[in-house]
Amino acid sequence: KEYREHLEDLVEKRTADFKRVNEQLKQEVAERKQAEEQSLIFRRFAEASGQGLGIADLNARIIYVNSTLCRLIGEDKPEDSYGKTFVRYYPPAMRKKLQEEILPAVIEKGQWVGELALVTRDGKVTPTIENFFVIRDEEGNQLYFADVVTDITERKMIENELKNYRDHLEELVVKRTEALNKINKELQDEIAEKRKAEDALIKSEEKYRQIYENAIEGIFQASPEGRFINVNPAMA
């Protein structure tokens, strides 16, 4: 009887232990399920995003890219880029700046935003705006580099078209200004000639007025009806 009671006590304790472990397992399963759901939501969000998203370790080796960034760097599938340094996907002239200026600034300040160009293996260059930042743990320790990449090819095309249009307008303005200056000079020359002619006419009128006034012959002007209009002193 005492042994049976002892066994029942052991079974009750073991059952309580099993229940406690079972509850812990249920909680862990629920937390893992929630984490998986959050991870799935993140992946769906990342894949649906029109922007390139990438994550790399602090040695700049890629551990994740979404399909948009995979296309921009020219890989067949995201996994092909994993383990590679993301620096290789930039033109050689930019790599030094990236390693010596941009990444140290990201580590020091936590973020860097600016224009860069991505290049594929076959040499296709894509202008982008990139937002580099650092992912940290709860204690603030740096864990990963992250990058949000925006393809600005269309914007660059529009900017170039606007620049060409602006240059065209400036050229038209220069030509129109030259034409207006030419017309203005012609007008000024015409006005000067007209003034010169008017001055000559005034001088001529003055000259003939003096001859008219001082002539010893009588000179007059009359209407068709015979009425005097003007007479010089000799005629008077």
Side-chain angles (χ1 to χ4, degrees):
K1 181 178 179 298
E2 289 176 355
Y3 185 67
R4 186 178 66 250
E5 290 175 352
H6 175 66
L7 287 177
E8 290 175 352
D9 186 45
L10 287 176
V11 168
E12 185 177 350
K13 289 181 179 180
R14 185 59 55 85
T15 302
D17 290 338
F18 282 145
K19 286 182 178 179
R20 185 173 63 255
V21 171
N22 189 43
E23 290 298 325
Q24 291 177 351
L25 288 174
K26 285 182 179 180
Q27 184 177 355
E28 290 179 2
V29 169
E31 290 175 352
R32 179 167 296 183
K33 184 178 180 181
Q34 183 179 6
E36 290 176 353
E37 289 176 352
Q38 290 176 348
S39 176
L40 181 60
I41 290 172
F42 166 76
R43 288 185 176 275
R44 287 176 178 173
F45 162 77
E47 291 304 316
S49 173
Q51 294 177 301
L53 302 176
I55 300 175
D57 61 23
L58 296 181
N59 293 319
R61 296 194 177 277
I62 297 172
I63 61 175
Y64 171 78
V65 296
N66 68 347
S67 57
T68 300
L69 186 53
C70 179
R71 174 180 56 80
L72 292 175
I73 61 178
E75 295 289 358
D76 296 328
K77 55 184 182 295
E79 292 78 9
D80 293 341
S81 66
Y82 294 175
K84 299 176 182 177
T85 59
F86 59 78
V87 177
R88 66 185 294 169
Y89 296 106
Y90 295 88
M94 289 187 178
R95 293 173 187 173
K96 184 176 181 180
K97 178 180 179 181
L98 193 68
Q99 292 175 319
E100 296 182 1
E101 296 181 26
I102 296 176
L103 293 184
V106 175
I107 292 175
E108 180 182 355
K109 300 178 181 179
Q111 188 178 31
W112 181 90
V113 179
E115 288 192 20
L116 291 173
L118 290 174
V119 62
T120 61
R121 288 176 298 177
D122 58 3
K124 179 183 177 183
V125 177
T126 303
T128 64
I129 290 180
E130 303 198 22
N131 181 3
F132 281 103
F133 58 95
V134 173
I135 297 175
R136 304 174 184 271
D137 61 16
E138 295 178 354
E139 286 75 28
N141 299 314
Q142 297 174 344
L143 299 178
Y144 306 103
F145 286 119
D147 190 16
V148 179
V149 182
T150 304
D151 184 352
I152 58 172
T153 301
E154 185 175 353
R155 195 187 83 176
K156 284 293 184 182
M157 290 175 60
I158 293 174
E159 287 179 353
N160 288 334
E161 289 177 0
L162 287 174
K163 181 181 182 300
N164 293 335
Y165 184 66
R166 185 178 66 248
D167 293 343
H168 176 62
L169 286 178
E170 290 177 352
E171 184 179 354
L172 286 177
V173 168
V174 170
K175 289 182 178 179
R176 187 62 54 84
T177 302
E178 290 176 351
L180 289 174
N181 287 336
K182 182 179 179 182
I183 293 173
N184 185 49
K185 187 177 184 303
E186 290 175 353
L187 288 173
Q188 289 178 348
D189 292 343
E190 184 178 343
I191 291 172
E193 289 294 328
K194 187 176 180 180
R195 286 178 178 173
K196 185 177 180 180
E198 288 176 350
D199 292 341
L201 180 61
I202 291 172
K203 291 179 180 179
S204 177
E205 288 179 348
E206 180 64 25
K207 176 182 178 181
Y208 286 104
R209 170 63 61 181
Q210 291 178 2
I211 294 173
Y212 177 78
E213 294 291 336
N214 298 310
I216 60 174
E217 295 87 357
I219 303 172
F220 71 90
Q221 289 177 304
S223 68
E225 292 80 17
R227 295 182 180 276
F228 284 122
I229 297 173
N230 196 1
V231 298
N232 69 344
M235 183 65 186

